[in-house]
Amino acid sequence: MNQIKKLLIIGFVWPEPNSSAAGGRMMQLISIFKQNGFEITFASAAQDSDFMVDLSEFGVIKKSIELNSESFDDFVAELNPDVVLFDRFMIEEQFGWRVTEKCPKAIRILDTEDLHCLRTARQKAFKENRTFELVDLLSEEVAKREIASILRCDLSLIISEFEMKILEENFRINADLLFYLPFLVNRMEEKELFELPAFEDRKNFVFIGNFLHEPNWNTVQYLKEAVWPFIKKDFPDAVLEVYGAYPSQKVLQLHSPKNGFYIMGRAEDANEVVKKARVVLAPIRFGAGLKGKLLEAMQCGTPSVTTSVGSEAMHSDLSWNGFVEDNPVEFAKKAIKLYQDENLWKQSQINGIEIINKCYQTSDYADSLISMVKKLLEDSENHRLHNFMGNLLQHHAYKSTMYMSKWIEAKNK
């Protein structure tokens, strides 16, 4: 790969690394490709936001595009990218056929963020008050769309080992189409804990999460109604600060200073907020992927209490940096114990460092990703030849998406 290669990223939204883990993940991907000499254009049909990152500071070209418009065809044909990265399957549905039509040789990569069908099926089971089963995925409408998108692409980036297993075993996806890529951070040494606020210099419990994400709103609601009363009963001085971007009115209504339950809104600096807290609480009841807030807690030396869904695929076979507990009464007890026991708290910090260093090292994955992309660039024809189901979808079922888009385009004229 001697000459400079062009990467086009088509974003669901403009990256907001301070608002969500998804924004941070996108900036990690940009960094990997930038460091490997790619010329990057980031395009999105989303509106600009006050909190979006200035892409020009990272040497990335920003391009606003339109949905259901042939103007995208002209843009992508002129750019003629070597690699196109779709940010979530909905973006591949919308723009994938246009990329295939205008730039058939471009490598198509899907960043799933997390498996939307897993999150949706779990949420549905939760609302119907039943236990989620993996077989639920097979009847999930979103699964049909998401799996079709994965099959149409040359490579899909999967953030969770649990989701890799689901795709290979439940959906029978060929492993050659999947690449495991968790959140990526730098190695952390135990001595770095001495540079962080000490046990006695920290106070309060904290939760942090983007409220546009349904599992976060549900978590805070559950904290307020089911967990916090048990914590306050045994620890009357306890205070919980809830931070998060885009809080709705129903979130703000949970603010209750007399009960030590504070809705703080957007954090100016999420890292600083978590570093000053003593314990992170995240009783997540449904969701998918990896939880950025829990990895961030480990980096800040802040132990956490979460659920089995929250810790899923996050710590390999290592001890959690705190506790994993699904029962609200036990969750409250463990939260208080972690908050008050300094030795346990310090051991939990060390557990967090071990998880970071074993599971999330940039050096373990970044080079492998670029090697895989180079391999695809060199031999895309052979790779695609062996992806028969993907070719089938490109040939038949996919046309419905194309004609629907063309119909909207014609209607708009």
Side-chain angles (χ1 to χ4, degrees):
M1 206 167 73
N2 298 326
Q3 75 223 59
I4 292 175
K5 295 293 183 184
K6 292 181 187 173
L7 166 67
L8 169 64
I9 301 174
I10 309 178
F12 182 66
V13 291
W14 301 107
E16 290 187 24
N18 293 327
S19 299
S20 71
R25 157 79 160 191
M26 181 52 73
M27 296 312 296
Q28 287 171 5
L29 287 171
I30 287 172
S31 174
I32 290 170
F33 281 100
K34 199 72 191 167
Q35 285 170 16
N36 282 277
F38 279 79
E39 184 182 285
I40 305 175
T41 300
F42 192 107
S44 180
Q47 291 185 319
D48 286 8
S49 81
D50 293 339
F51 303 102
M52 61 192 270
V53 80
D54 183 353
L55 290 165
S56 65
E57 288 184 6
F58 298 87
V60 175
I61 300 160
K62 177 180 180 286
K63 171 72 178 175
S64 290
I65 53 176
E66 293 179 24
L67 297 171
N68 305 305
S69 169
E70 61 188 13
S71 62
F72 177 83
D73 302 350
D74 299 333
F75 155 69
V76 79
E78 187 181 339
L79 181 66
N80 194 23
D82 301 284
V83 181
V84 178
L85 189 147
F86 303 101
D87 173 23
R88 293 166 249 211
F89 81 90
M90 304 83 82
I91 292 299
E92 189 278 335
E93 280 184 334
Q94 179 67 230
F95 295 100
W97 66 269
R98 293 182 184 274
V99 169
T100 302
E101 203 171 72
K102 299 297 176 184
C103 307
K105 291 187 176 177
I107 300 304
R108 300 182 295 272
I109 300 176
L110 173 65
D111 184 30
T112 56
E113 291 288 352
D114 60 28
L115 273 189
H116 290 63
C117 61
L118 177 61
R119 176 153 38 94
T120 304
R122 276 181 168 158
Q123 187 170 342
K124 196 176 286 183
F126 170 78
K127 290 191 171 172
E128 292 170 3
N129 199 25
R130 59 180 172 80
T131 304
F132 165 76
E133 305 281 352
L134 282 175
V135 73
D136 294 345
L137 292 170
L138 301 179
S139 59
E140 186 57 55
E141 196 59 37
V142 174
K144 297 178 178 72
R145 294 169 56 198
E146 191 164 24
I147 297 305
S149 182
I150 287 170
L151 287 168
R152 283 192 297 264
C153 288
D154 297 306
L155 192 69
S156 289
L157 308 181
I158 312 300
I159 204 166
S160 153
E161 286 181 314
F162 179 66
E163 293 174 11
M164 284 284 283
K165 192 176 176 189
I166 286 174
L167 290 169
E168 290 179 20
E169 295 181 6
N170 294 72
F171 290 112
R172 303 284 193 268
I173 304 286
N174 188 326
D176 290 346
L177 298 177
L178 308 174
F179 186 88
Y180 172 57
L181 191 72
F183 292 127
L184 302 177
V185 298
N186 294 326
R187 185 173 177 79
M188 194 170 174
E189 304 294 338
E190 276 187 39
K191 62 184 179 185
E192 291 178 52
L193 292 174
F194 297 114
E195 297 163 19
L196 296 168
F199 176 84
E200 62 274 12
D201 296 326
R202 297 175 182 238
K203 62 176 185 177
N204 302 340
F205 295 100
V206 73
F207 171 85
I208 192 160
N210 185 323
F211 286 108
L212 295 178
H213 191 54
E214 178 70 17
N216 285 334
W217 150 243
N218 181 271
T219 297
V220 172
Q221 193 178 25
Y222 181 62
L223 260 172
K224 177 71 183 290
E225 295 168 4
V227 176
W228 195 243
F230 290 114
I231 291 178
K232 284 298 278 185
K233 177 174 168 287
D234 292 338
F235 184 16
D237 294 336
V239 170
L240 171 65
E241 294 180 331
V242 175
Y243 288 87
Y246 305 106
S248 64
Q249 195 54 43
K250 60 185 181 182
V251 174
L252 298 173
Q253 283 173 353
L254 296 179
H255 185 64
S256 179
K258 69 177 180 8
N259 288 315
F261 199 97
Y262 293 83
I263 303 295
M264 309 295 288
R266 177 185 286 274
E268 285 295 315
D269 186 331
N271 241 284
E272 284 306 308
V273 163
V274 179
K275 278 179 188 173
K276 289 174 182 173
R278 191 175 287 179
V279 175
V280 165
L281 300 182
I284 299 161
R285 292 191 286 180
F286 56 83
L290 299 180
K291 311 303 177 289
K293 62 177 70 61
L294 296 175
L295 179 58
E296 180 179 51
M298 295 177 208
Q299 290 178 285
C300 293
T302 311
S304 64
V305 188
T306 189
T307 56
S308 51
V309 170
S311 68
E312 180 181 274
M314 285 204 66
H315 58 120
S316 187
D317 55 354
L318 300 172
S319 298
W320 189 248
N321 71 317
F323 291 106
V324 176
E325 185 56 66
D326 293 320
N327 178 284
V329 178
E330 288 303 314
F331 190 102
K333 284 180 183 172
K334 297 283 173 57
I336 294 168
K337 184 175 174 61
L338 192 55
Y339 192 97
Q340 295 177 341
D341 186 332
E342 185 173 355
N343 290 331
L344 175 63
W345 188 86
K346 286 179 175 176
Q347 181 56 52
S348 297
Q349 278 191 322
I350 292 167
N351 292 351
I353 289 177
E354 288 176 354
I355 293 169
I356 286 170
N357 292 342
K358 178 169 180 179
C359 304
Y360 301 100
Q361 288 308 290
T362 303
S363 55
D364 291 342
Y365 300 99
D367 290 346
S368 301
L369 172 62
I370 295 301
S371 294
M372 178 65 81
V373 173
K374 286 180 180 177
K375 187 179 170 189
L376 288 170
L377 284 164
E378 289 163 5
D379 195 20
S380 61
E381 218 172 285
N382 186 49
H383 179 81
R384 287 173 179 173
L385 181 66
H386 289 87
N387 180 14
F388 181 77
M389 292 305 291
N391 292 327
L392 192 70
L393 286 166
Q394 293 281 13
H395 185 67
H396 279 298
Y398 198 25
K399 299 295 183 188
S400 62
T401 315
M402 181 180 87
Y403 288 121
M404 172 60 81
S405 188
K406 282 186 175 291
W407 179 78
I408 294 169
E409 193 180 312
K411 188 166 169 278
N412 289 344
K413 284 178 182 175

